[in-house]
Amino acid sequence: METTRPVPEPTLRRLPLYHRLLKVVQGKGQEHISCPSIGDQLKLDPTQVRKDLQATGVTGRPKVGFVVDELVENIEQFLGWNNTKEAFLVGAGNLGAALLGYMKFEQYGMSIAAAFDVDPAKVGRSLRGKQVMPLHKLPAMARRLRVHIGIITVPAAAAQQVADLMVEGGILAIWNFAPQRLRLPEHIIVHNEDLYGSLASLSQRLEGVLQEQARTGQGSAA
Amino acid sequence: METTRPVPEPTLRRLPLYHRLLKVVQGKGQEHISCPSIGDQLKLDPTQVRKDLQATGVTGRPKVGFVVDELVENIEQFLGWNNTKEAFLVGAGNLGAALLGYMKFEQYGMSIAAAFDVDPAKVGRSLRGKQVMPLHKLPAMARRLRVHIGIITVPAAAAQQVADLMVEGGILAIWNFAPQRLRLPEHIIVHNEDLYGSLASLSQRLEGVLQEQARTGQGSAA
DNA sequence: TAGATTGTTAATCGATTAACAATC
DNA sequence: TAGATTGTTAATCGATTAACAATC
């Protein structure tokens, strides 16, 4: 029995990028598109684009390229954007509020069903149109509503405890925005967003450029 | 002349993780720590931990490990957390407000000096204690204050235009939260945060698990 | 000393990129 | 047809992991 190799993480992350471009192209009424053309617009290697698209199951025609409508449909299908999954968000602070309100996750296959918090001042009210429930109710509600995604936007110190409650509620995938690695059962899927790591990398690279400038004496005179 | 190899991106992203753990360890009064111990607590390979730490320039002692204080100091030094860099944030919406207020970036070497927006209703007011300025003033202010970091939290459609203004202002590093790839001069450092890509990956993996469950018939009965 | 841990070199692994025949 | 593009296999590249002598 052949074990189907999982689709590479980088590919999964690029698919929404293609989707966005394709929607624009679709809006212009263009029917076909080639990998070199996509690669050119997105600054990606054409071969890489082709491999990524093939992961979704589409096939193209030499000389012509791929059918735009088909590509859009396949990506949506492949990423499960058609059957929306429900999520619970824990931590109704600034970041939590931003995720609740700003992002149009519904288009991307996820709907945040409710928010949770321990702060009595927040519980019971509604935030960006979503009810804020007391945290201790999460496990029971997650089981009852069969919610499988948990979003953590609490301070680092509280993250592990929240994650434990999510697991107790049968949640299978956790999107963790707290700067804290979680200890979880093997089968749980975790994505650590880790903004500090991202910032660290950006700032270290910048440090290098600035020192280079200082050394060669080319200041901010552009 | 030997060209010093740049530190791998994944290493840079892990350094804040070590730092956080080390601060905890430091708080407990522990003086030394070994790579196997760090790896154990962070679920990372000990050799990887050693390589990462070596990138910052520290050396350890066999059998004993590394001096905690020295590690903390070296990481902070290496990531440039000691001399704080100033940043401008553009897009005073939900996410922008969250980044302005929630995150304690100051501890991590970055301070957001001001926010910008095109919305007259937002301009002139202050948000989370920071002034919101009209966008068109960004280039001149960035040059005058020698701000080198730009944070983009505007809708995708406006992102490129904002990026162009940043470049005009001499900004060297862009932290982009808009789901839009930017066309920039070669020397500009960009980090795309791309939450949709992250979500896509999470949800596709979950899809796989759910289908597996459906196939083998083990429902949510834990 | 014995044994854990470092520093370093080699092997593995996975993703990106290059090469090229097949095809429309 | 000629030539661009696909599909696929091979080469490259970089990061992770393994192996092992040096050392405290």
Side-chain angles (χ1 to χ4, degrees):
Chain A
M1 171 184 171
E2 63 177 79
T3 44
T4 43
R5 179 107 36 117
V7 177
E9 181 74 18
T11 295
L12 290 177
R13 289 179 174 270
R14 281 190 296 265
L15 285 175
L17 226 60
Y18 300 131
H19 184 266
R20 202 165 302 116
L21 173 66
L22 290 166
K23 291 297 276 187
V24 173
V25 165
Q26 201 176 37
K28 288 180 187 161
Q30 189 180 325
E31 286 185 24
H32 296 87
I33 194 165
S34 72
C35 293
S37 159
I38 294 176
D40 191 51
Q41 294 178 67
L42 258 31
K43 282 201 198 161
L44 295 170
D45 184 277
T47 305
Q48 184 171 73
V49 174
R50 197 169 308 120
K51 282 223 163 141
D52 286 345
L53 297 182
Q54 279 170 348
T56 71
V58 279
T59 55
R61 280 195 309 169
K63 172 90 172 159
V64 181
F66 293 79
V67 178
V68 176
D69 290 350
E70 209 177 309
L71 274 180
V72 169
E73 172 58 28
N74 268 61
I75 291 175
E76 291 178 357
Q77 181 67 39
F78 182 75
L79 292 177
W81 287 356
N82 298 323
N83 56 333
T84 301
K85 296 172 192 65
E86 298 213 309
F88 278 167
L89 179 146
V90 180
N94 285 321
L95 183 57
L99 293 179
L100 280 175
Y102 178 74
M103 298 278 164
K104 15 189 175 26
F105 290 131
E106 276 79 4
Q107 291 174 32
Y108 299 94
M110 185 181 76
S111 159
I112 302 180
F116 293 82
D117 209 297
V118 285
D119 185 351
K122 287 171 182 162
V123 167
R125 309 180 69 176
S126 93
L127 183 63
R128 312 257 183 255
K130 313 279 169 143
Q131 273 292 315
V132 180
M133 320 282 295
L135 179 58
H136 68 85
K137 286 196 177 174
L138 187 143
M141 282 188 66
R143 287 220 173 271
R144 183 154 56 82
L145 300 174
R146 297 187 182 282
V147 171
H148 296 308
I149 300 178
I151 306 172
I152 299 180
T153 52
V154 299
Q160 182 62 57
Q161 180 206 341
V162 169
D164 292 342
L165 285 175
M166 286 177 170
V167 172
E168 193 188 325
I171 273 174
L172 297 171
I174 293 179
W175 199 6
N176 179 30
F177 287 84
Q180 169 75 41
R181 288 295 160 112
L182 305 171
R183 299 202 152 262
L184 295 164
E186 204 56 45
H187 70 283
I188 305 284
I189 302 160
V190 201
H191 267 50
N192 296 298
E193 215 46 59
D194 199 2
L195 293 185
Y196 294 120
S198 195
L199 171 60
S201 152
L202 185 77
S203 117
Q204 207 276 343
R205 301 256 183 251
L206 175 60
E207 190 89 353
V209 172
L210 289 174
Q211 280 176 12
E212 178 72 10
Q213 282 194 354
R215 203 172 53 72
T216 61
Q218 22 169 279
S220 58
Chain B
M1 170 184 173
E2 62 175 80
T3 44
T4 43
R5 179 105 37 114
V7 177
E9 181 73 18
T11 295
L12 290 177
R13 289 179 174 270
R14 280 189 297 265
L15 285 175
L17 225 60
Y18 300 131
H19 185 266
R20 203 164 303 115
L21 173 65
L22 290 166
K23 290 298 273 186
V24 173
V25 165
Q26 201 176 38
K28 288 181 189 161
Q30 188 180 325
E31 287 185 23
H32 296 88
I33 193 164
S34 72
C35 292
S37 158
I38 294 176
D40 191 50
Q41 293 177 66
L42 258 32
K43 282 201 199 160
L44 296 171
D45 184 276
T47 304
Q48 184 171 73
V49 174
R50 196 169 308 119
K51 283 223 163 141
D52 287 344
L53 297 181
Q54 280 170 349
T56 72
V58 281
T59 55
R61 281 195 308 170
K63 172 91 173 158
V64 182
F66 294 79
V67 178
V68 176
D69 289 351
E70 210 177 309
L71 274 181
V72 170
E73 172 59 25
N74 268 60
I75 291 175
E76 290 177 359
Q77 182 66 39
F78 182 76
L79 292 177
W81 288 355
N82 298 322
N83 56 335
T84 302
K85 296 171 192 67
E86 298 212 309
F88 278 167
L89 180 145
V90 180
N94 285 321
L95 183 58
L99 293 179
L100 280 174
Y102 178 74
M103 299 278 166
K104 17 189 176 21
F105 290 130
E106 277 80 4
Q107 292 174 31
Y108 299 94
M110 186 181 76
S111 158
I112 302 180
F116 294 82
D117 208 299
V118 285
D119 184 351
K122 286 171 184 162
V123 168
R125 310 180 68 176
S126 94
L127 183 64
R128 313 257 183 254
K130 314 278 170 143
Q131 273 292 316
V132 181
M133 321 280 295
L135 179 58
H136 68 85
K137 287 196 176 174
L138 187 143
M141 284 189 66
R143 287 222 172 270
R144 183 154 55 82
L145 300 175
R146 298 187 184 283
V147 170
H148 296 307
I149 300 178
I151 306 173
I152 299 180
T153 52
V154 299
Q160 182 62 56
Q161 180 205 343
V162 169
D164 291 342
L165 286 174
M166 287 178 170
V167 172
E168 193 188 324
I171 273 175
L172 297 172
I174 293 179
W175 199 6
N176 179 30
F177 286 84
Q180 170 76 41
R181 289 295 161 112
L182 305 170
R183 299 201 152 262
L184 296 164
E186 205 57 46
H187 70 283
I188 305 284
I189 302 160
V190 201
H191 267 50
N192 296 300
E193 215 46 58
D194 199 2
L195 293 186
Y196 294 119
S198 194
L199 171 60
S201 151
L202 185 77
S203 116
Q204 208 275 343
R205 300 257 183 249
L206 175 60
E207 190 89 353
V209 171
L210 289 174
Q211 279 175 12
E212 177 72 11
Q213 282 193 355
R215 205 172 52 74
T216 61
Q218 20 169 280
S220 59

